[in-house]
Structures are given as structure tokens and as C-alpha cells.
Amino acid sequence: EWCAGRSCDGKQLILMKQTHVSLFTGIGGIDLAAEWAGFKTILQVEKDELCNCILSSRWPGAARIKDVGLFPEIQGASIDLVSAGWPCQPFSTAARGRNVAADLWPKTFSILESVRPTYFLGENVQRKPVARAAEELAQLGYRSALLRIPAAAVGAPHLRTRWFLAAHSYGEGKRSRAFDEQMAGLRKFPDMDVWQEVDTSLGMDDGVPGRMDRLRALGNAVVPQQVFPVIKAMADVGSL
């Protein structure tokens, strides 16, 4: 039985089925979209105490660790999806050139090299880091699509532009072609029926449930509706 709901730093994580691993989870915007698309999040990596309080409430069955450098060995099954919104401060215009955070992509790459998930979903505020990631993932045999998706594209009353890297390990074949078609189709976003109005007296409508709405945590968050079409496309291709 894997160590769900408790610390598993440096231990083995034994899985019974294919699932989703979330790196640099934040308040779980990507994880929530993955849940909507049918994935089960079994491991979250997040160091912020406030975010971990939110995550433990929303995903009580998931294992959590605070240090990406203590990523556990995973046994028993392959992983369908790894997601990572590695820290954007080194690339954000808000940093104004200051060295405010380390670039954690190398650690992310090391985990992907070890885990070899079927899919990888990367997120950042600029194109450059996700384009670099796509080039390096090609060395592992992944084919990637880069997508620039503002939250406004799915009905949010604010821009919140993000770059997403959607990568798969299918190589050539039916699923690879289907994946490429799905990514091309995301140039036109479908009408979303999962958006809900929330009280905006303390900030913007970010599409996350009210109990997850914490001003300090929302700054780097991904709007779940924003990334849902990408993850749903992965789920659809995986079912072929």
C-alpha cells in the first residue's frame, strides 16, 4: 500500500494503477483539471505550508512531499501523467530581472527521465522555458506541442496568459497522430460549462472553489478551466 496522505520523503511509493503525479503543485489548479479529466492524483510536491493545507483538504488521499529533491521511487505501475508548473519567477516580467528563484527545470527533467510518464504537462509564464523543455524532452523520445492559452479564452474575466507544454511518449502511430490532431484543435477553444461565478470582493474570479481561494496562493495559480482542454485531450487519446 502506498503512503497516501502522509509524508513519504525518500521512501518508495508503490502504485496499484496508472495515475497523475503533480510537481510544484501550488493550490492544485492543474490537479483539479486533471481530476475533471478522469486522472487520479496520487502524489503532490509542494513546499508552501498554506498550499499544503489546501491540498490536504482537497486531496486527502494523495501523498505529499515538500522537497522535489526527495522524490520517491515509484513501483508497481507506470504513470500516465506528470505535471509541473516549475517556478516562474526567473522568467516572469514581475521579477524585473531580479534573481528571485532558482530554475528548477533540471530537477523536473531528472524526475521525468526516471519516471518516464506517458504524458508530461509543463506550464510557465513565458515561451522560452517551455520551448527549452520541449527540446530536452525530445532527447527522451517525447513529442511536444506548445500552447499559449490565456484564461480569458475559457471565459475568465482576466487575461492570465500561460504557456503549456503538452508532451507524449507514443512515438509514431495512431495515438501520436490523434494527439497532434487534438492539440491542433485547441487553437479554437470549446465553450466551457464548468465556469462558476464566485465572490470577487477580495480579488478576481479565478475559477477555483471558494475554499481554495487564498489571495497569497492565487498569484501563481493556473486556472483549472484554462488547462482542462489540454488534459482532457490527453485522456481522450489515452483511451484509444
Side-chain angles (χ1 to χ4, degrees), residues 19-22 30-31 34 39-43 79 81-83:
T19 44
H20 167 228
V21 168
S22 173
I30 292 177
D31 301 46
F39 289 92
K40 180 179 177 61
T41 299
I42 52 86
L43 174 62
I79 300 298
L81 170 64
V82 170
S83 65

Side-chain angles (χ1 to χ4, degrees), residues 44 125 144 169 188:
Q44 297 167 321
V125 296
S144 301
S169 60
K188 297 181 179 179

Side-chain angles (χ1 to χ4, degrees), residues 121 147 149 164 166 183 186 226-235:
L121 175 72
L147 299 165
I149 306 177
F164 295 99
M183 293 301 106
L186 290 179
Q226 183 178 12
V227 70
F228 171 74
V230 183
I231 301 178
K232 180 62 165 60
M234 293 175 173

Side-chain angles (χ1 to χ4, degrees), residues 62-133:
R64 268 172 294 283
I65 61 176
K66 294 182 179 180
D67 186 349
V68 70
L70 295 176
F71 193 85
E73 180 183 351
I74 297 179
Q75 294 186 346
S78 60
I79 300 298
D80 287 329
L81 170 64
V82 170
S83 65
W86 63 99
C88 65
Q89 289 89 344
F91 317 103
S92 173
T93 55
R96 297 184 178 92
R98 294 172 295 173
N99 186 19
V100 295
D103 179 9
L104 292 176
W105 166 249
K107 289 188 177 181
T108 304
F109 181 83
S110 178
I111 290 172
L112 294 172
E113 189 174 26
S114 174
V115 174
R116 298 296 179 107
T118 302
Y119 292 110
F120 172 65
L121 175 72
E123 175 270 330
N124 217 286
V125 296
Q126 298 286 346
R127 185 182 190 279
K128 182 178 179 179
V130 295
R132 182 192 68 174

Side-chain angles (χ1 to χ4, degrees), residues 202-225:
L202 296 178
M204 294 182 177
D205 185 348
D206 287 272
V208 295
R211 294 184 66 85
M212 293 171 65
D213 189 346
R214 303 293 187 271
L215 292 180
R216 183 164 68 85
L218 282 173
N220 296 323
V222 173
V223 173
Q225 292 87 345

